[in-house]
Amino acid sequence: MRIHLKIVGLIIFSFVFCTNLCAREEVSASLSKNEISVGDIIDFTVKAKLEQNAQISANQDFSFDGFDILNLDIEHIIVGKENVYELKFKLLADKVGDVIINPNAVFFINADGTNNLFFTPKKSVVVKSILGQDNNYDIKDIKKLKKIRLGTMCVVLISMLIILIGLIFYLLVCSYINRPKDIVEDPQLEALRELSLLYETRSSVDVKDFYYKMSKILRTYISKKYKFYALEMTTSEFFKKMKPLLPSTINALDFKKYLSVFNLARYASFTPSQTEIKNSYDFTKTLLEIL
């Protein structure tokens, strides 16, 4: 009997192990060049093969020591049954030597709704100085400096110029101090004005940026009105905090569904219709007016 139990246990362990092995994401990276000069732009591409229906979050923060990130494109590629994402970075080298492109965490959501992450592979790039092969290369003076002799009239003119510049600076400082004080705008009117302007210019804004800015306008207003910092809260934390503050005219379930749309807007595959965008705008406007 014990032998049978051991065999069954071994089969279950093997099945779980194989399942986890197959579900593990495959990540690779490539560079357009392995050797560049400081100030050059290099393409760094990360390819991730995820499980079916997994999605990479579109809004993420990345940082590479020794490089400035000029642009990032996230492309979703479906090859047969494979679910592949490509993260294409354009990096500007601002450091010389053997520079390491350090790993960064990339967050994604599995098909079952759970959050997960993987790390970009580490890569090395040789960045050369534009001044010469030696990184400590210095620029020497070609000729000795000449002493400049100034006449009396020249000294007087320079002195007058310095006095004039000082007088202009003094007048500018006085003008700044005596300027009319800015009128503090009502937070509700300010939020409604920003929301209206955002909606009017929606055709020139990416849909993910549109939803992000709309959420920021609402949360900023809530922070000012109810004196708690809503910008750093998760969706669930924000919902729990706002639920007892909702008026009777707002259904809590409708408010929760409304917030879930902003979560979806973080992912690359989110493509709402114009009607859905208008409904989200109207609901946000209503919240700003009655809260």
Side-chain angles (χ1 to χ4, degrees):
M1 182 66 179
R2 291 181 179 177
I3 296 176
H4 290 271
L5 290 176
K6 289 182 178 179
I7 293 174
V8 172
L10 182 61
I11 292 173
I12 294 174
F13 174 79
S14 301
F15 175 75
V16 172
F17 178 79
C18 292
T19 302
N20 291 335
L21 188 63
C22 294
R24 195 171 298 165
E25 60 275 358
E26 298 178 16
V27 183
S28 61
S30 62
L31 295 169
S32 59
K33 298 177 182 177
N34 293 319
E35 189 174 296
I36 58 175
S37 297
V38 66
D40 284 351
I41 298 173
I42 188 171
D43 294 326
F44 176 51
T45 303
V46 177
K47 185 176 181 180
K49 188 186 299 182
L50 308 178
E51 66 177 30
Q52 289 293 322
N53 299 322
Q55 296 181 342
I56 289 182
S57 173
N59 294 322
Q60 301 193 43
D61 292 326
F62 297 100
S63 176
F64 297 105
D65 184 32
F67 296 93
D68 289 331
I69 301 175
L70 300 181
N71 188 45
L72 167 60
D73 288 327
I74 301 178
E75 294 185 2
H76 187 197
I77 305 170
I78 299 177
V79 182
K81 294 184 178 180
E82 293 183 348
N83 183 27
V84 180
Y85 278 85
E86 283 192 356
L87 287 76
K88 297 182 178 181
F89 297 90
K90 282 197 176 295
L91 306 179
L92 175 67
D94 60 6
K95 186 177 180 182
V96 297
D98 192 2
V99 184
I100 302 298
I101 301 179
N102 55 292
N104 271 237
V106 181
F107 296 92
F108 67 94
I109 185 169
N110 291 320
D112 59 2
T114 58
N115 292 319
N116 208 336
L117 61 86
F118 63 84
F119 288 89
T120 61
K122 182 168 70 174
K123 286 287 185 179
S124 177
V125 183
V126 176
V127 183
K128 295 182 176 180
S129 171
I130 59 175
L131 298 179
Q133 298 299 325
D134 184 3
N135 291 336
N136 297 318
Y137 180 81
D138 195 8
I139 300 176
K140 306 295 183 181
D141 292 326
I142 298 174
K143 295 181 180 180
K144 293 183 179 180
L145 297 176
K146 293 183 179 180
K147 294 182 179 180
I148 301 176
R149 296 181 179 179
L150 300 177
T152 304
M153 183 59 67
C154 187
V155 173
V156 172
L157 291 175
I158 293 175
S159 300
M160 292 178 62
L161 181 61
I162 294 173
I163 294 172
L164 180 61
I165 293 173
L167 180 61
I168 293 174
F169 179 76
Y170 172 77
L171 293 175
L172 289 174
V173 171
C174 291
S175 176
Y176 177 79
I177 294 174
N178 298 324
R179 76 190 188 284
K181 299 297 184 291
D182 295 333
I183 300 174
V184 178
E185 188 176 2
D186 177 59
Q188 185 182 49
L189 295 177
E190 182 183 8
L192 288 170
R193 178 179 56 78
E194 290 180 356
L195 181 66
S196 177
L197 180 62
L198 176 64
Y199 186 73
E200 290 174 0
T201 58
R202 65 188 182 282
S203 59
S204 61
V205 180
D206 181 78
V207 66
K208 296 171 186 61
D209 289 338
F210 175 81
Y211 272 87
Y212 169 77
K213 291 178 180 179
M214 185 161 58
S215 174
K216 185 179 179 181
I217 290 170
L218 174 64
R219 289 184 180 229
T220 301
Y221 169 70
I222 294 298
S223 298
K224 293 179 180 178
K225 179 68 180 290
Y226 296 101
K227 308 303 180 185
F228 64 87
Y229 197 62
L231 290 173
E232 295 296 328
M233 288 184 173
T234 64
T235 302
S236 57
E237 290 172 342
F238 185 59
F239 174 73
K240 290 178 182 179
K241 191 75 174 179
M242 288 300 301
K243 188 175 180 181
L245 301 176
L246 294 174
S248 58
T249 54
I250 297 295
N251 185 283
L253 183 59
D254 292 339
F255 182 66
K256 188 174 184 179
K257 291 180 180 178
Y258 159 79
L259 292 178
S260 68
V261 175
F262 292 98
N263 264 349
L264 292 174
R266 297 165 52 199
Y267 301 102
S269 60
F270 181 68
T271 52
S273 65
Q274 289 300 318
T275 301
E276 290 171 329
I277 292 175
K278 180 66 165 58
N279 291 339
S280 296
Y281 163 76
D282 290 337
F283 199 90
T284 306
K285 186 172 182 290
T286 301
L287 288 173
L288 291 175
E289 290 173 343
I290 65 178
L291 285 175

